[in-house]
Amino acid sequence: MAKKKDEFVKQDEQLQEVNEALTGAGKWIEDNANLISWIVCGIAVLVCACIALNNYVFKPKALEASNENAKAVVYFMAGNYDKALNGDDAECIGFQAIADEYSWYQQGKLAALYAGICYYELGQYEDAAKYLKEFSAEDLNIDPAAHQLLGDAYVELQEYGKAAKAFEVAAASGNEVIAPMSLKKAGIVYLHEGEKGKALKAFKTIKDEYPASSEAQDIDKYIAIAE
């Protein structure tokens, strides 16, 4: 009986402590009502500002970038890379300007990819690498293709270490078309640099993981060179 009495006393003490804590919290809220009101108002203003910024700044800018890209794509598809890149002094401002002006937006990043391709086609490989590095996407086709072209640009610039790294990134995507192609490019670069171990690994990966690819058809020849 005494034991139960002690348990009740303990529970009463715990409840009293909880009540005191709640009372203290309630008093703090009462004493700081103005501060709390200001905090709540500040949060509300911040939320409203974010909504307004999204609706009246970000969305219109993204739409502008999309419209500008559409104009430049017309020249790109026609193979007029200079106008696609630099604009036509009329309605089209070109991919370079879009990439620079709308760099915060996905359409601006897409323009950077187009600009990189245009520079590559025009033989301006340093600028091609600059804009290709600015592009990023989660698309398993576009992103590895961009890294592969970046590797090609570095090869043209004779920056073979950067080229191999870009090819390896493209290959890591696992894309059935781009991965074996990039692995072969990486392997050839490694051979050029005298890194036969890395070259052999790249070539064997093609043989083991992408046996149906076109790169696998003559890969034994490259494996023999690297061994």
Side-chain angles (χ1 to χ4, degrees):
M1 188 73 178
K3 187 177 180 181
K4 287 187 176 179
K5 185 176 180 181
D6 290 341
E7 288 178 356
F8 286 135
V9 170
K10 191 175 180 180
Q11 289 177 357
D12 286 341
E13 289 175 351
Q14 289 174 342
L15 287 172
Q16 186 175 352
E17 289 176 3
V18 172
N19 286 332
E20 287 176 356
L22 290 173
T23 301
K27 189 173 185 305
W28 186 88
I29 292 172
E30 183 178 340
D31 292 342
N32 295 276
N34 289 337
L35 175 61
I36 293 170
S37 296
W38 279 107
I39 292 172
V40 171
C41 288
I43 292 171
V45 169
L46 184 62
V47 170
C48 290
C50 288
I51 292 172
L53 195 63
N54 184 57
N55 289 336
Y56 297 105
V57 177
F58 292 138
K59 283 186 178 179
K61 281 286 186 181
L63 182 60
E64 282 179 20
S66 182
N67 290 337
E68 292 297 342
N69 269 340
K71 297 173 189 175
V73 164
V74 175
Y75 287 117
F76 182 86
M77 296 302 291
N80 192 335
Y81 299 113
D82 184 65
K83 284 190 176 180
L85 181 64
N86 300 306
D88 58 9
D89 297 326
E91 294 185 358
C92 176
I93 64 174
F95 290 127
Q96 180 179 323
I98 300 167
D100 294 343
E101 186 174 342
Y102 301 94
S103 59
W104 285 15
Y105 304 91
Q106 190 57 41
Q107 289 294 327
K109 296 182 185 304
L110 182 60
L113 172 61
Y114 276 115
I117 297 171
C118 288
Y119 274 123
Y120 187 88
E121 293 293 336
L122 292 169
Q124 299 177 40
Y125 303 114
E126 190 169 343
D127 288 321
K130 172 188 171 183
Y131 280 94
L132 287 168
K133 284 190 296 184
E134 291 180 11
F135 175 76
S136 63
E138 295 180 0
D139 188 288
L140 292 178
N141 295 315
I142 298 176
D143 194 62
H147 275 94
Q148 182 174 280
L149 186 61
L150 176 59
D152 290 336
Y154 282 134
V155 167
E156 295 291 345
L157 292 168
Q158 299 183 3
E159 295 184 32
Y160 299 113
K162 291 181 179 179
K165 184 177 179 180
F167 291 141
E168 291 280 13
V169 171
S173 68
N175 183 287
E176 292 292 329
V177 175
I178 296 170
M181 193 184 302
S182 294
L183 283 168
K184 192 170 186 179
K185 286 173 179 282
I188 291 170
V189 169
Y190 286 135
L191 280 179
H192 181 273
E193 293 296 279
E195 298 184 75
K196 286 191 172 184
K198 290 183 178 180
L200 183 61
K201 181 181 177 181
F203 297 143
K204 282 189 173 181
T205 301
I206 295 172
K207 184 172 183 175
D208 296 340
E209 298 183 13
Y210 304 97
S213 66
S214 60
E215 287 73 24
Q217 305 311 306
D218 63 347
I219 203 64
D220 286 336
K221 176 180 69 176
Y222 290 90
I223 289 174
I225 295 171
E227 285 182 331

